[in-house]
Coordinates of all heavy atoms in Angstrom, one line a residue:
L59 N -18.0 19.0 6.3 CA -17.2 19.6 5.2 C -15.8 20.0 5.7 O -14.9 19.8 4.9 CB -18.0 20.8 4.7 CG -17.3 21.5 3.4 CD1 -17.1 20.6 2.3 CD2 -18.3 22.6 2.9
E128 N -17.1 30.6 17.2 CA -16.3 29.9 16.2 C -17.2 29.2 15.1 O -16.9 29.2 14.0 CB -15.4 28.8 16.9 CG -14.4 28.2 15.9 CD -13.5 27.2 16.6 OE1 -13.5 27.1 17.8 OE2 -12.7 26.5 15.9
G364 N 17.9 31.3 22.3 CA 17.5 32.6 22.8 C 16.0 32.7 22.5 O 15.2 33.1 23.3
S484 N -9.9 24.7 9.5 CA -9.8 25.8 8.6 C -9.7 27.1 9.2 O -9.6 28.2 8.6 CB -11.0 25.8 7.5 OG -12.1 26.1 8.2
E588 N 18.1 46.7 -17.6 CA 18.2 45.2 -17.7 C 17.4 44.5 -16.6 O 17.2 43.3 -16.6 CB 19.6 44.7 -17.6 CG 20.6 45.3 -18.7 CD 21.3 46.4 -18.0 OE1 20.8 47.4 -17.4 OE2 22.6 46.4 -18.2
K661 N -8.2 48.5 23.1 CA -8.5 49.6 22.1 C -8.0 49.3 20.7 O -7.2 48.3 20.5 CB -8.0 50.9 22.6 CG -6.4 50.9 22.7 CD -5.9 52.2 23.4 CE -4.4 52.2 23.6 NZ -3.6 52.7 22.5

Side-chain angles (χ1 to χ4, degrees):
L59 180 56
E128 184 177 355
S484 71
E588 306 97 311
K661 60 188 176 81

